[in-house]
Amino acid sequence: MPELVFFSGTMDCGKSTLALQIEHNRSARGLAGVIFTRNDRAGEGKLSSRLGLVTDAVEVGEGADLYAHLVDHLSQGGRADYVIADEAQFLDPEQIDQLARVVDDLDIDVYAFGITTDFRTRLFPGSQRLVELADRVEVLQVEALCWCGARATHNARTVGGVMVVEGAQVVVGDVTDSADEVGYEVLCRRHHRRRMTAATARAAALSPDVLPVPTA
């Protein structure tokens, strides 16, 4: 039976890489898929991974009807043996409903990939709806690591290396952005709670206030 599967995890855990691998495996067997994405780091209409792999995709705009797009694609003679939806956390809840309808009414497998929570540890609306509707939720087993070496469980937004907890839910950035730009970093819960990024931890280690004071 076709399924709606949600592959979730933090940034840097290989979600887009897995999406590209699924696309490669199925296309190599003669299957044809439709790839949706939104706000990919490589730009509009792209699905990319940090390993440097990239492929073309359909950019999903606000209010776009994914079910109608598939029906139109099929009615014009196109094929869709499966659907991949990357950056699914950015989709509207209504668009997640449309993906579920693709599975139920068109008998097409849908593989969705996304971050579950934002930099404030709040659920993205799209991810919340996926958790509610998906036939399966798969937490990726490639563990991203916090700067301290512990398993990273939270996404932090940074500006100049300093963690911020206010602002719009969606601001496109990456873990490789320069120190003066909006970026993201994965942290364990302990250091997310303490708002301690790799940069602030290095600064604290170099501070003379924390160096041992020699005794006479």
Side-chain angles (χ1 to χ4, degrees):
M1 295 291 291
E3 289 185 306
L4 172 59
V5 186
F6 179 32
F7 295 92
S8 69
T10 62
M11 296 182 69
D12 245 4
C13 74
K15 296 181 299 300
S16 296
T17 301
L18 179 58
L20 287 161
Q21 185 68 55
I22 288 177
E23 160 66 12
H24 170 76
N25 290 350
R26 279 155 179 73
S27 62
R29 297 297 180 267
L31 300 176
V34 173
I35 303 175
F36 293 117
T37 190
R38 188 170 185 177
N39 296 335
D40 188 274
R41 69 183 71 84
E44 185 173 327
K46 299 293 181 182
L47 164 57
S48 67
S49 82
R50 293 189 180 88
L51 298 183
L53 305 173
V54 62
T55 192
D56 292 330
V58 177
E59 184 74 17
V60 178
E62 186 176 351
D65 190 325
L66 307 187
Y67 178 82
H69 180 94
L70 264 297
V71 169
D72 184 61
H73 176 74
L74 294 170
S75 66
Q76 294 184 37
R79 285 180 56 191
D81 300 306
Y82 59 92
V83 171
I84 291 173
D86 197 37
E87 305 292 356
Q89 72 273 8
F90 296 141
L91 299 181
D92 304 327
E94 294 78 14
Q95 291 169 331
I96 303 302
D97 288 331
Q98 293 157 13
L99 290 177
R101 189 180 177 192
V102 168
V103 175
D104 297 339
D105 294 356
L106 302 180
D107 292 330
I108 297 174
D109 284 311
V110 174
Y111 306 102
F113 299 81
I115 298 168
T116 307
T117 57
D118 65 15
F119 70 104
R120 300 165 298 186
T121 71
R122 300 290 189 266
L123 284 168
F124 282 100
S127 297
Q128 177 178 333
R129 193 61 179 146
L130 274 166
V131 171
E132 294 166 347
L133 292 183
D135 297 293
R136 286 189 290 128
V137 177
E138 301 281 353
V139 179
L140 297 192
Q141 298 304 307
V142 178
E143 293 185 349
L145 298 179
C146 177
W147 60 265
C148 69
R151 177 173 175 264
T153 54
H154 291 68
N155 305 294
R157 180 182 294 171
T158 61
V159 177
V162 178
M163 180 174 161
V164 296
V165 294
E166 295 181 353
Q169 185 175 53
V170 178
V171 175
V172 178
D174 200 2
V175 295
T176 58
D177 284 341
S178 68
D180 294 331
E181 298 176 347
V182 173
Y184 290 91
E185 182 176 344
V186 288
L187 300 173
C188 64
R189 185 181 64 235
R190 174 182 299 169
H191 289 125
H192 191 279
R193 289 179 56 245
R194 295 176 180 176
R195 304 186 187 181
M196 184 173 287
T197 66
T200 55
R202 285 194 299 268
L206 294 174
S207 172
D209 294 335
V210 298
L211 294 177
V213 178
T215 58

